[in-house]
Amino acid sequence: MMQYAAVIQRLFSQTLSAWTAVPEANVGQQRAYSSVRVSVYRTLELWVQLFGASANILQGASSHAEILFNHMLGDITPGAESVK
């Protein structure tokens, strides 16, 4: 499985990029995007649990690692409306 780490990393980042709701989408329209993103994160969690630090998911000079990291940060950072 480790030989496919780079491919899986690209798959995660591409899936999250494709399934990002536009900011002006209504709450009901974001649900489909949310369920796909949750599935990606659960798969990512399983991948890291199985392979630990050797998974190299967020390491290296890959642009996909940076994209994946930015999606993760964006998903855990509350929006301006939530903070108010």
Side-chain angles (χ1 to χ4, degrees), residues 20-67:
T20 300
V22 291
E24 61 270 0
N26 293 332
V27 175
Q29 293 173 333
Q30 293 175 345
R31 185 172 177 87
Y33 292 99
S34 176
S35 62
V36 171
R37 294 178 76 81
V38 166
S39 297
V40 169
Y41 286 131
R42 284 185 181 154
T43 307
L44 177 61
E45 177 187 16
L46 180 61
W47 180 263
V48 172
Q49 284 178 354
L50 290 173
F51 295 104
S54 65
N56 293 330
I57 291 294
L58 293 174
Q59 298 174 348
S62 171
S63 63
H64 291 285
E66 186 176 326
I67 293 169

Side-chain angles (χ1 to χ4, degrees), residues 7 9-19 64 67 71:
V7 174
Q9 180 189 48
R10 276 190 309 231
L11 179 65
F12 287 148
S13 67
Q14 289 173 354
T15 303
L16 290 173
S17 293
W19 287 89
H64 291 285
I67 293 169
H71 278 293

